[in-house]
Amino acid sequence: ADRRPDSSTQKGTHAMRNAYASGGCLAAGLCLIAAGPAAAQESGSATTPRLDADVLIEIQNDGAFASENDANERNDLFTTTEPFLSFKATEHFKIESGLVLEPVRAPAPGEDRFFEDHGLFAEELYAAYETERFSIKAGKYNPSFGIAWDAAPGIYGVDFAEDYELTERLGAAASYTMDAGEAGAHTLTVNSFFADTTFLSRSAFNARGELDKADGGPSNTEDPASFSVILDGGGMADLPVDYHLGARYQEGGPGTPRDETGLVAGVSGRVPLGAETTLEPIAEIAYLDDFNGTRQDRTYATLGGTGIRGPWHISASYTGRFVDAPGAADSDDTLAELSAGYSFATGLTLDAGYRFEESANTNTHIIGALLTYSFSTSIP
């Protein structure tokens, strides 16, 4: 049910997330609380009510200069712009929304694009209540499962892992964090969700269409029959790594032959290599049984790292996608990338990189550049 273009055309960094609260009672409650105290109240070092805005702007150019399929050869210049707004009504209660402006249609075979086919949509809009150890949110949001689709390094490191990213679901999530001192902090999260079939599944400027229940697909059931359970941890005194463990189940919608189940395990870290140099490695493996409700099992293995020295950074990553399709030919796909960049003090980052992909027995080579700018502001 993912109407976005193939991930090979997009970087896929989703640095700002989280979304729409559904149900009349919840909506009425949000309106009452949002209209609450007119005077600002102290909340630690910040005041409430307060509106925070974080904006990530990416301008990317991908030049596919060589492919065994001529239809893959094109130049694609596009933006992925993500404004994230957070209205903090009280110290613990907030309403958050995440918009995305990006291409919502796949490019025509062999044709170049220049800022075409962009659509604006609400990826997330939800209400959240948070304390030091416990949090709950409800609305439209991105349920947690995996980290490589967001954290794999470089311009293209996330692209294959985006296949199993969960986005634009309606539902609720609850998390509890246990602080174990030198043994680190460990957070258990439970998500219950279904695919968004409301008007918020549409996009402005260029239409991607509204998702209907009749379209079928994973978790397109209009009831919270799908779920994921996640355990995250880190901060251990003698082990400078964070871990991510998860399981998920997506019930198939109308016409979808199978229900999907999945498992994921990942680690990431930050290792000092000297006074000014740091290495940030990541590794993740994900297994999806009956991927997207089809008779197809997939395994993804991602390995990568970023070396940082001052404002300079260099990244490399590899992802293998292994597809087992009963009754059809199996396939082993490969994505490898190497990129480097410079981070300016103004919040601007410039990267350039090379990507090699072997998919469906076809090799494609891409050289790309990525310009990233982010900024934040608060009112008051």
Side-chain angles (χ1 to χ4, degrees), residues 86-159:
S86 177
F87 175 70
K88 293 181 170 59
T90 69
E91 179 182 356
H92 300 295
F93 181 82
K94 59 186 177 181
I95 304 170
E96 304 203 316
S97 66
L99 304 177
V100 178
L101 175 68
E102 66 179 8
V104 294
R105 300 172 185 166
E111 290 190 7
D112 297 341
R113 292 198 303 182
F114 182 80
F115 293 114
E116 298 176 53
D117 302 322
H118 285 69
L120 177 68
F121 57 93
E123 187 172 75
E124 300 182 276
L125 178 55
Y126 63 87
Y129 181 86
E130 296 180 352
T131 65
E132 184 177 350
R133 293 193 176 184
F134 175 77
S135 68
I136 186 170
K137 61 184 175 184
K140 181 177 179 178
Y141 75 109
N142 299 330
S144 47
F145 183 84
I147 58 174
W149 53 262
D150 183 59
I155 301 177
Y156 304 106
V158 302
D159 287 358

Side-chain angles (χ1 to χ4, degrees), residues 195-235:
D196 175 24
T197 55
T198 71
F199 71 95
L200 288 176
S201 63
R202 303 175 187 171
S203 62
F205 307 129
N206 284 288
R208 60 176 184 170
E210 180 177 320
L211 181 66
D212 296 318
K213 183 178 179 181
D215 295 331
S219 71
N220 190 4
T221 57
E222 295 188 345
D223 63 72
S226 301
F227 64 87
S228 68
V229 180
I230 308 296
L231 181 63
D232 292 293

Side-chain angles (χ1 to χ4, degrees), residues 176-188 231-236 243:
Y176 179 78
T177 299
M178 180 184 67
D179 187 350
E182 291 190 356
H186 309 272
T187 301
L188 178 67
L231 181 63
D232 292 293
M236 293 164 278
Y243 69 85

